[in-house]
Amino acid sequence: MLTRLLLLYCLTGHVFSKEPPDMDCLVVHLKYVHCSWNKQGTPQVNYTFYGWFQNDKAKECPSYLSEKNITTGCNQPYENPLNRFSTFHTKLEHGNTSFRREYNLKEKVKLNPPTNLTVQNRSDSNLWLSWTQISPNCVDSEVRYRINNRNWATSRPGPGTQNYCINLPSHNSLYELQVRSKITFACGDSDFWSDWSEPVFWGSNNSTAPNPVKSSTSVWTPVLYVVGAFILILLVMMLLHHERIRIIFIPVVPKPSAKLHNPEDWFQFPKGLKESFNYNERPCPVREYCHVPQTDSESSDCSTCSATTDQTNCSVLIPGTESDLTTPCSSSTSTVTV
């Protein structure tokens, strides 16, 4: 009896000891359910896959995935995205052997990476990144960027947002940006982020970068220059109006030449200022006279001679209308003894 049991175990032991493949299922981009059973390696046999949601009929896989002609997975589409909130049933069959399993796929949703990434420097001088994702109202996104190949910086713009702003970027730096997404908590949540999108670039630097986006000149730069110039001119006009600043242009004095000129011709005075220098002053003739009296006794043989000189200061005559006015001066007498 024992020998028969051992023989039966040897003949059928491979059936009882056969473990089910380690299968896992995931909703991909709200389009189909992806199930795979090759985590422990490529199976030894080809399995037939059946999958269905609660209250639906079992359907065989319409699109198998295979390795070396051995089936390793299945992509099974479904029409209603809300079906992911229902239980998903699977069955693997090979000959008389089958394995069944149930999955809750509400939090097992993995989106495809965002598409149509564009980056541009808008009129507000900020750098704007935008992208496209399925069901934007149910999607939460994460942006990461780095400058000149340095460390990544990440940010969460918020649920339902499909753009991101970097304030006042440097035109002399290279920006590399990527985005990934997942289902938000309000729409069932998900434990899986999508893969990072293809990177986009903006700016430039000295290093070589693939297809950098050329920076565009901000339209606000010339506007700021014009406003600054206008304010400066306005301030100068206000100062001149209140006589705080007077601008006097002094002409260059010409080099004197051998031929003498009138110095007044060197300067170009204003008409009113030049007339103020033209004034008339009547000439004052000055004359002087000396009265020396002659003595009666003059001899050549006298041993002692004396001379008396009576000198009167000159009179200054200023011509009047018809007669001269004489200004008397003090008189002085000097005696010279020889």
Side-chain angles (χ1 to χ4, degrees):
M1 185 69 179
L2 180 61
T3 304
R4 291 181 179 179
L5 290 175
L6 291 175
L7 181 60
L8 180 63
Y9 175 79
C10 293
L11 295 175
T12 61
H14 67 281
V15 177
F16 293 111
S17 63
K18 185 68 174 179
E19 296 181 357
D22 186 8
M23 186 170 61
D24 191 15
C25 293
L26 188 70
V27 176
V28 178
H29 207 58
L30 301 178
K31 296 294 185 180
Y32 58 89
V33 178
H34 170 74
C35 294
S36 61
W37 49 88
N38 62 341
K39 288 186 177 182
Q40 297 177 348
T42 304
Q44 298 298 322
V45 296
N46 283 321
Y47 287 99
T48 303
F49 176 83
Y50 295 88
W52 67 96
F53 286 98
Q54 189 72 28
N55 300 324
D56 288 344
K57 296 180 179 181
K59 298 179 181 179
E60 185 180 352
C61 178
S63 176
Y64 282 102
L65 304 176
S66 62
E67 295 179 2
K68 300 178 181 179
N69 295 326
I70 301 296
T71 57
T72 58
C74 173
N75 290 334
Q76 184 165 352
Y78 63 96
E79 297 178 356
N80 188 0
L82 297 179
N83 284 342
R84 66 187 178 89
F85 294 97
S86 302
T87 304
F88 185 70
H89 301 267
T90 63
K91 183 175 68 170
L92 283 177
E93 287 186 352
H94 177 67
N96 296 327
T97 306
S98 64
F99 306 99
R100 292 194 177 190
R101 193 171 178 181
E102 297 179 354
Y103 298 89
N104 184 5
L105 302 180
K106 183 185 72 171
E107 297 178 352
K108 293 186 175 182
V109 180
K110 184 175 182 179
L111 301 176
N112 292 336
T115 58
N116 299 329
L117 270 71
T118 58
V119 57
Q120 57 181 340
N121 189 213
R122 298 182 182 175
S123 59
D124 57 359
S125 299
N126 295 327
L127 190 65
W128 286 90
L129 172 68
S130 59
W131 61 89
T132 302
Q133 184 57 279
I134 188 174
S135 301
N137 295 331
C138 289
V139 171
D140 189 10
S141 299
E142 183 177 29
V143 177
R144 73 175 184 178
Y145 67 93
R146 60 182 178 178
I147 304 174
N148 296 333
N149 294 323
R150 299 174 185 170
N151 295 332
W152 290 100
T154 60
S155 180
R156 300 277 290 273
T161 303
Q162 296 193 98
N163 55 61
Y164 179 73
C165 174
I166 299 178
N167 294 326
L168 302 176
S170 174
H171 293 267
N172 297 325
S173 300
L174 178 65
Y175 289 76
E176 182 181 358
L177 304 96
Q178 290 180 294
V179 187
R180 66 177 183 175
S181 305
K182 75 168 189 172
I183 297 296
T184 62
F185 176 81
C187 295
D189 203 1
S190 177
D191 297 331
F192 297 87
W193 283 94
S194 71
D195 296 333
W196 288 103
S197 66
E198 291 294 327
V200 292
F201 298 88
W202 181 90
S204 62
N205 63 356
N206 295 330
S207 62
T208 303
N211 299 327
V213 180
K214 300 298 182 180
S215 60
S216 58
T217 304
S218 173
V219 297
W220 289 102
T221 301
V223 174
L224 293 177
Y225 287 148
V226 172
V227 173
F230 176 76
I231 293 176
L232 180 61
I233 294 174
L234 184 61
L235 291 176
V236 172
M237 293 179 63
M238 293 176 63
L239 291 175
L240 291 176
H241 179 71
H242 292 284
E243 298 183 353
R244 297 297 180 92
I245 297 178
R246 291 186 178 180
I247 301 176
I248 301 176
F249 298 97
I250 301 177
V252 179
V253 178
K255 183 178 180 180
S257 60
K259 184 178 179 181
L260 297 179
H261 296 276
N262 187 359
E264 296 181 359
D265 297 336
W266 293 356
F267 305 97
Q268 298 179 358
F269 295 102
K271 184 176 180 181
L273 183 61
K274 187 173 182 179
E275 292 178 354
S276 63
F277 287 128
N278 295 333
Y279 63 91
N280 296 325
E281 183 178 352
R282 297 177 178 177
C284 177
V286 178
R287 62 183 178 178
E288 65 179 34
Y289 62 90
C290 297
H291 177 72
V292 180
Q294 299 290 334
T295 58
D296 293 337
S297 58
E298 290 182 359
S299 62
S300 59
D301 54 353
C302 65
S303 58
T304 303
C305 296
S306 62
T308 301
T309 304
D310 187 6
Q311 183 176 0
T312 305
N313 288 345
C314 303
S315 299
V316 179
L317 301 180
I318 300 177
T321 55
E322 292 181 356
S323 61
D324 295 338
L325 299 178
T326 303
T327 302
C329 302
S330 62
S331 61
S332 62
T333 305
S334 61
T335 304
V336 179
T337 303
V338 181

